[in-house]
Amino acid sequence: MPEPISARIAEGVASIPAAQWDACAGDSNPFLSHAFLAALEASGSVGAGTGWQSLPIVIDDANGIPAAIAPAYAKSHSQGEYVFDHAWADAFEHAGGRYYPKIQVAAPFTPVPGPRLLLRDPALAPALIAGIEALTDNNRLSSAHVTFVDEAQLPLFEEAGWLVRAGTQFHWHNRDYADFDAFLADLSSRKRKAIRKERERAVEGLAIRHLSGAEITEAHWDAFWVFYQDTGSRKWGRPYLTRPFFSLLGEAMGDRLLLMFAERDGRPIAGALNLIGGDALYGRYWGCVEDVPFLHFELCYYQAIEAAIARGLPRVEAGAQGEHKLARGYVPVTTWSAHYIPDPGFRRAIEEYLARERDAVAQEQEFLGELTPFRRGG
């Protein structure tokens, strides 16, 4: 009879040595790296007063070294997740239950698909899922949610009986383009002309700069912080991230950052921050202090496409939602999450809802797929 596998709860990402964490997480997805997640903790972006309590679930090998990790958080609200369950919370509490706290396995504030079971030893996946369930059950919590899980790991949760939810994002795919004009050549004539006009108007009187690594100074972060605050206050009421987070990110992983500025007479007026992954460029944060037509599209979509082509990256992921990305060559893709609901009645209701929602998502994606700007047959 095999020895039982035990899991432990670590006191935050920073309590685990970076090399041990990254040996489980791999190096393809920067948002799962020790540097990114520890910077969230050290900057106060997660932790006391934020509604995100870091509780990594860890299974150690025989030598006491982490062999499997789930980046788990106890959540006292549903902000910063991008997979919306506010209606679930309302229904559960209306029925007399207590929805919060719940368990969230995710990269906080980051709607980027990726593995959520960080496995140096892939055989430990079922035990790690059982550890998430045990944390939920032992504390009599309403639920556990694994959001933006890589599709390759989805069957592991289905086999464990978790409920599956589908969503939609828009990603750009690199068809081995030599340059931006080669990409445009794949589009219909009308869309090609529209994008060229947008780009001309967006950069009129402006200079675009790309910065990475040691090129990014504290003055650049100060400017970007102003942009980020403006966007954050309009979208969420208050920004999720703190100013120190950006400095820590630059120190820890500057070579994986691509900061784009639009400058007027040498003064930054808008910026977009991207992270460079092993197989994708990830657009994350954007903001501006001048309202320039089409500049958002230029910095966040077109410049990202050019950067991905230059780096030979297969795709650009430009964040959550946004049907306006369709006209810019970004196509609908399915994102996935998995949900553990212990209460039988609540689980039944959620299961029925998710079945209907998945059908609606599939139908919407089929419709949206007909609206892409690519030449028919191209």
Side-chain angles (χ1 to χ4, degrees):
M1 185 174 180
E3 290 288 322
I5 298 172
S6 61
R8 63 182 173 91
I9 307 300
E11 295 183 1
V13 174
S15 71
I16 300 171
Q20 295 180 11
W21 180 284
D22 291 337
C24 295
D27 60 4
S28 181
N29 190 310
F31 303 101
L32 298 168
S33 68
H34 188 276
F36 183 87
L37 296 173
L40 289 173
E41 294 178 0
S43 66
S45 300
V46 303
T50 68
W52 292 81
Q53 180 186 356
S54 182
L55 300 171
I57 302 170
V58 182
I59 297 175
D60 295 320
D61 64 16
N63 298 314
I65 306 299
I69 305 172
Y73 297 82
K75 289 293 306 298
S76 61
H77 53 65
S78 291
Q79 279 74 53
E81 299 168 6
Y82 302 92
V83 176
F84 303 110
D85 64 348
H86 299 88
W88 301 6
D90 290 344
F92 194 67
E93 295 189 355
H94 184 73
R98 184 186 178 197
Y99 194 73
Y100 303 108
K102 62 178 182 175
I103 298 301
Q104 195 82 18
V105 179
F109 322 118
T110 307
V112 171
R116 296 298 180 256
L117 306 174
L118 312 183
L119 302 169
R120 184 164 58 82
D121 181 354
L124 292 174
L128 191 55
I129 293 174
I132 302 170
E133 295 174 353
L135 178 61
T136 306
D137 293 340
N138 293 344
N139 291 279
R140 298 183 179 180
L141 304 181
S142 69
S143 52
H145 310 265
V146 178
T147 44
F148 295 100
V149 63
D150 187 274
E151 186 173 6
Q153 289 191 344
L154 199 64
L156 297 168
F157 291 94
E158 292 179 303
E159 290 165 10
W162 288 45
L163 303 180
V164 170
R165 190 174 193 183
T168 300
Q169 284 187 356
F170 298 88
H171 298 172
W172 178 83
H173 297 283
N174 188 354
R175 302 179 182 179
D176 294 324
Y177 296 119
D179 53 28
F180 193 86
D181 283 339
F183 156 61
L184 288 182
D186 265 358
L187 309 186
S188 68
S189 175
R190 183 171 62 87
K191 294 295 186 180
R192 191 160 56 238
K193 291 175 182 176
I195 288 176
R196 284 182 172 139
K197 286 181 179 178
E198 279 189 0
R199 299 201 73 183
E200 288 173 5
R201 287 192 61 188
V203 301
E204 189 173 352
L206 301 176
I208 306 296
R209 293 182 64 196
H210 289 197
L211 302 165
S212 189
E215 296 173 321
I216 305 174
T217 68
E218 284 301 296
H220 293 126
W221 287 131
D222 287 340
F224 187 75
W225 173 245
V226 174
F227 305 148
Y228 171 74
Q229 278 187 301
D230 177 70
T231 300
S233 61
R234 284 187 284 107
K235 292 180 77 171
W236 312 305
R238 68 174 184 83
Y240 293 137
L241 303 173
T242 65
R243 171 61 182 86
F245 169 77
F246 294 99
S247 295
L248 291 169
L249 194 68
E251 292 170 8
M253 49 193 306
D255 289 342
R256 302 192 75 177
L257 306 182
L258 178 60
L259 183 60
M260 301 173 179
F261 274 161
E263 298 179 345
R264 189 183 301 283
D265 300 324
R267 180 179 66 89
I269 66 160
L273 178 60
N274 304 265
L275 275 75
I276 304 166
D279 58 3
L281 183 71
Y282 300 99
R284 287 306 305 121
Y285 311 112
W286 137 271
C288 62
V289 292
E290 282 189 30
D291 186 11
V292 178
F294 306 116
L295 185 55
H296 173 253
F297 302 147
E298 175 65 27
L299 277 190
C300 296
Y301 306 147
Y302 303 139
Q303 290 289 328
I305 288 173
E306 289 194 336
I309 292 173
R311 287 168 170 77
L313 294 171
R315 68 185 185 280
V316 176
E317 298 188 18
Q321 299 144 351
E323 292 184 13
H324 56 277
K325 296 170 187 167
L326 270 175
R328 279 93 201 167
Y330 291 69
V331 300
V333 299
T334 305
T335 58
W336 301 99
S337 58
H339 306 269
Y340 175 64
I341 313 288
D343 182 272
F346 190 46
R347 175 193 163 89
R348 207 160 36 243
I350 296 297
E351 187 172 20
E352 293 172 359
Y353 167 79
L354 291 180
R356 295 192 301 270
E357 185 185 52
R358 283 194 301 272
D359 288 342
V361 167
Q363 292 174 21
E364 180 188 45
Q365 288 188 5
E366 184 177 359
F367 170 73
L368 292 172
E370 296 298 317
L371 302 180
T372 64
F374 294 94
R375 290 182 288 110
R376 295 297 175 235

